[in-house]
Amino acid sequence: MPLFPDTALPAAPRRQRRQAPAAASETLKDKALEIHRRLCGVYDCPIPYFHSLDPLSELISSLLSHRTRNAESGRAFKALRTRWPDWAAVEKAGVAEIEETIRGVTWPELKAPRIKAVLSAVRERVGTLSLDFLQAMSVDEARGWLEAIPGIGPKTSAAALSFSTLRMPALPVDSHHHRVAQRTGLIGPKLDVGPSHAVLRAQLPDNWSAQTLYDNHEVLMMHGQRVCFHRSPACGRCVLLDICPTGQARGVTATERP
Ligand code: SF4
């Protein structure tokens, strides 16, 4: 049962209005599907979910993870949960205490006040510290609601919906996913991570399940971590070499595959 009936969903502030992305070309849709098919073969879809957190906890975890290694953001999340019994206690804690607890993540001095502010914004808009009501919204509505809170962008909203126990069909895009998408020509070289969310989602079938969209994010992310490295991509062992303009331009010959 959703926490709120449909008629009582906490309304998103008016300024938040999500724009529909331009329609993707059939060529790019075909390419996105082919990339998904090949990478799923390499990384063995379906990919197991790595979290089973409630959506508010996943939101905080995602805020901590920005530009931070998974091990460090995981440690900081665990430290918050160990030091305080619930998110209400974190909301009441001092910024300096939170900052000290999450040290090790990138920019703890910015993330500590942001976590407090996001928790307060949720309480103010919902009346309690829970985001379970998002389950009753469409993905677009739920993302719009979350992104109306200052400090929450497309990656964080998509992560809260996809990775949490909500298991909603949203597509997060991290820096690895974004790099592979750019190099393979799914998106242009100047499109930032934020706006790339809508463009990359529009290239994939509307009716894809939460698991399949999660797989798409995970396989592109893993490919960026394990093959399409930031500094020196291993194009010679990449299953996308024949359809990747970056790999082709480098004049690389296919060698052993992963
Ligand atoms: S061919 Fe090279 S640049 Fe293209 S996706 Fe593969 S590793 Fe990345």
Side-chain angles (χ1 to χ4, degrees):
M1 274 286 283
L3 189 63
F4 299 92
D6 284 351
T7 52
L9 293 176
R14 285 233 178 101
R15 71 176 180 80
Q16 189 64 27
R17 202 167 267 269
R18 295 177 65 77
Q19 292 194 331
S25 76
E26 291 306 314
T27 309
L28 282 176
K29 285 183 178 178
D30 289 346
K31 187 171 192 174
L33 287 178
E34 180 62 12
I35 289 171
H36 179 85
R37 188 187 69 76
R38 292 190 192 188
L39 294 183
C40 267
V42 173
Y43 299 109
D44 198 18
C45 294
I47 310 291
Y49 280 94
F50 64 94
H51 271 175
S52 288
L53 297 171
D54 68 89
L56 181 60
S57 298
E58 188 60 57
L59 186 76
I60 302 300
S61 170
S62 180
L63 289 170
L64 287 168
S65 71
H66 186 54
R67 297 283 180 120
T68 300
R69 289 178 186 277
N70 288 344
E72 282 303 331
S73 60
R75 189 208 60 77
F77 182 82
K78 206 169 165 188
L80 284 176
R81 300 296 293 254
T82 302
R83 182 163 183 175
W84 289 287
D86 51 30
W87 295 122
V90 176
E91 183 195 4
K92 289 185 194 129
V95 169
E97 289 177 297
I98 299 173
E99 183 180 336
E100 177 202 61
T101 307
I102 64 171
R103 69 187 179 284
V105 301
T106 309
W107 306 316
E109 72 284 5
L110 299 179
K111 289 178 181 175
R114 179 163 297 165
I115 286 168
K116 261 182 80 79
V118 165
L119 289 170
S120 296
V122 170
R123 180 185 295 287
E124 190 180 297
R125 291 161 198 209
V126 184
T128 185
L129 284 179
S130 170
L131 292 175
D132 292 351
F133 71 91
L134 294 173
Q135 185 85 67
M137 292 182 169
S138 70
V139 169
D140 276 354
E141 287 171 339
R143 292 189 64 176
W145 193 95
L146 288 169
E147 289 172 34
I149 296 176
I152 297 182
K155 176 172 173 271
T156 303
S157 75
L161 300 183
S162 170
F163 301 158
S164 74
T165 49
L166 292 177
R167 302 287 193 248
M168 288 171 77
L171 181 73
V173 179
D174 75 342
S175 60
H176 301 293
H177 182 158
H178 180 255
R179 181 170 66 256
V180 175
Q182 276 191 328
R183 287 178 176 169
T184 53
L186 289 178
I187 54 174
K190 293 186 178 164
L191 191 69
D192 285 339
V193 172
S196 77
H197 280 75
V199 175
L200 290 169
R201 177 63 187 92
Q203 293 170 358
L204 300 171
D206 290 341
N207 63 357
W208 267 15
S209 66
Q211 174 74 60
T212 312
L213 281 173
Y214 173 76
D215 288 344
N216 183 260
H217 164 65
E218 288 289 305
V219 296
L220 270 89
M221 180 190 72
M222 285 193 275
H223 201 60
Q225 290 172 329
R226 300 178 190 181
V227 178
C228 191
F229 304 116
H230 175 63
R231 286 182 191 279
S232 184
C235 301
R237 59 181 176 86
C238 176
V239 294
L240 306 179
L241 178 58
D242 63 306
I243 57 172
C244 176
T246 308
Q248 293 292 311
R250 296 177 78 223
V252 176
T253 311
T255 55
E256 195 183 338
R257 295 275 158 79

